Amino acid sequence: MANMIIKKQIRSVSLPSRSHPSTSGIEEALNKMKIITTTTDSSESILMGLAGLEELYNCTEDFLKMDSTQRVMSSDRSRFMEEMLDGSLRLMDICSVSRDLMVETHEHVRGVQSCVRRKKVAGVGGGDQFDVAISGYVGFRKNMRKEAKKLLGSSKKIDCGSSSYENDNDHDDEHLVAVINAMRRVVSVSVEVLKSFLEFLSGRQSNVKSKLASVLMKKKKKDNHEATKNDLETLDSAICGDFCSRDGLQKKLEEVEVSIGGFEKNLEGLFRRLIRTRASLLNIISH
């Protein structure tokens, strides 16, 4: 009967596990993330999600350093530890590539900004450099969407917990089940936040929203239509010359630069914390 209960609890990371004193801290951090991830998929909410993941992994690091956590995890030789190591590696790869994409986006946005400023000062002159910068940005965005979709595919391969764990000792089972559930929830919420970010880059969610809006409101005004897009897609429209003055383009470039800077910073911080978490997992296995 005890083993049947354990199996049911392991099958779904979305269901609350039996509480254990050692997991109270990380469960509190996970509950905070649950609130953050229920907000809309705007650039601001995604930034909040990435910042929240940084804090969550700080808590995870403390959790993995606890003697009680290390004891039950080092004694476990199930697929769970392989699952955690594989998941941590995939998350690191997604985070690293995403960070590099933001660095490159920042470079392209600054390049276009510089050309817009020079064109404003020189009047008619400077058109060639501006066209080159625009062409470079448009080509990069096309490649970014492809890369984001590849990373989305990789995120789907991350195992957030489908296996069950059995142990003859009921007391050890309770503790290990609580640890496994907590760690799987950390991976699950990480995947959820990173998927939102990647969908933001690829335009997947905003495209769906735009199509739905066009069906419901065919005579929608231009400003309302722009509201259905994310920051990057709004900039894409502005760069392609859709109803946007040069001053308007400059303003959108500045707004996007701020968002990109936030993404860069948070992805870099998250990547470093993911490295530390993986190191802690390897350290537990080696002992």
Side-chain angles (χ1 to χ4, degrees):
M1 178 65 72
N3 283 339
M4 289 176 65
I5 294 173
I6 292 166
K7 287 179 182 178
K8 288 179 181 179
Q9 290 175 331
I10 287 292
R11 284 191 189 113
S12 173
V13 295
S14 62
L15 295 176
S17 63
R18 285 179 290 183
S19 60
H20 192 279
S22 68
T23 64
S24 59
I26 196 167
E27 284 174 359
E28 182 179 349
L30 283 163
N31 288 334
K32 289 180 181 178
M33 281 302 301
K34 187 175 181 180
I35 296 172
I36 293 174
T37 54
T38 57
T39 57
T40 59
D41 293 306
S42 64
S43 58
E44 291 83 2
S45 65
I46 295 171
L47 277 169
M48 285 177 58
L50 291 171
L53 281 185
E54 288 188 68
E55 294 184 18
L56 175 60
Y57 275 94
N58 282 336
C59 185
T60 301
E61 182 67 13
D62 293 337
F63 178 63
L64 292 174
K65 287 179 179 178
M66 293 173 61
D67 290 339
S68 58
T69 303
Q70 293 186 4
R71 186 166 55 252
V72 295
M73 289 184 73
S74 61
S75 65
D76 177 49
R77 292 294 180 266
S78 70
R79 196 172 70 86
F80 165 67
M81 290 303 290
E82 293 180 13
E83 175 190 312
M84 288 294 105
L85 286 173
D86 179 72
S88 69
L89 193 60
R90 290 182 185 275
L91 287 171
M92 284 171 56
D93 181 60
I94 292 171
C95 190
S96 176
V97 176
S98 297
R99 177 198 57 189
D100 292 344
L101 285 174
M102 286 298 92
V103 171
E104 197 170 350
T105 304
H106 214 157
E107 292 173 356
H108 279 281
V109 168
R110 284 173 174 170
V112 175
Q113 276 183 309
S114 179
C115 289
V116 170
R117 292 192 191 101
R118 286 200 297 270
K119 198 170 181 181
K120 284 174 67 176
V121 173
V124 178
D128 290 344
Q129 288 185 337
F130 179 76
D131 291 342
V132 169
I134 292 297
S135 177
Y137 175 84
V138 171
F140 168 70
R141 277 287 285 146
K142 184 178 179 180
N143 291 332
M144 177 199 279
R145 288 190 181 93
K146 291 180 180 178
E147 194 63 43
K149 288 175 182 177
K150 287 181 184 177
L151 294 175
L152 279 167
S154 179
S155 71
K156 293 177 182 178
K157 296 177 182 178
I158 298 176
D159 188 353
C160 296
S162 58
S163 61
S164 61
Y165 180 84
E166 294 185 43
N167 194 302
D168 292 330
N169 189 308
D170 288 344
H171 177 72
D172 286 346
D173 271 358
E174 271 193 37
H175 191 181
L176 183 57
V177 167
V179 170
I180 288 175
N181 263 304
M183 290 303 298
R184 281 178 172 163
R185 286 179 65 197
V186 169
V187 174
S188 180
V189 75
S190 301
V191 171
E192 185 176 351
V193 172
L194 287 172
K195 279 178 68 177
S196 292
F197 172 70
L198 293 170
E199 286 168 349
F200 172 81
L201 296 188
S202 67
R204 178 175 295 185
Q205 286 188 346
S206 57
N207 284 340
V208 172
K209 291 175 183 176
S210 294
K211 289 176 183 178
L212 178 61
S214 65
V215 170
L216 297 176
M217 303 174 66
K218 292 182 179 180
K219 295 183 178 181
K220 198 176 212 184
K221 290 183 179 180
K222 176 181 67 71
D223 55 342
N224 288 334
H225 175 69
E226 295 255 331
T228 67
K229 299 181 180 181
N230 67 40
D231 292 351
L232 288 174
E233 288 197 312
T234 301
L235 177 59
D236 291 345
S237 295
I239 279 182
C240 291
D242 292 351
F243 310 104
C244 187
S245 66
R246 199 164 296 162
D247 287 337
L249 174 58
Q250 183 68 25
K251 182 179 179 181
K252 290 182 185 301
L253 285 164
E254 290 171 357
E255 291 172 353
V256 170
E257 186 180 18
V258 172
S259 293
I260 292 169
F263 287 135
E264 264 189 84
K265 178 182 176 182
N266 289 337
L267 286 166
E268 176 63 30
L270 176 59
F271 182 68
R272 292 181 180 182
R273 284 158 180 80
L274 286 169
I275 290 175
R276 290 206 299 263
T277 297
R278 181 171 176 77
S280 296
L281 289 170
L282 290 170
N283 183 59
I284 290 172
I285 289 177
S286 66
H287 288 78

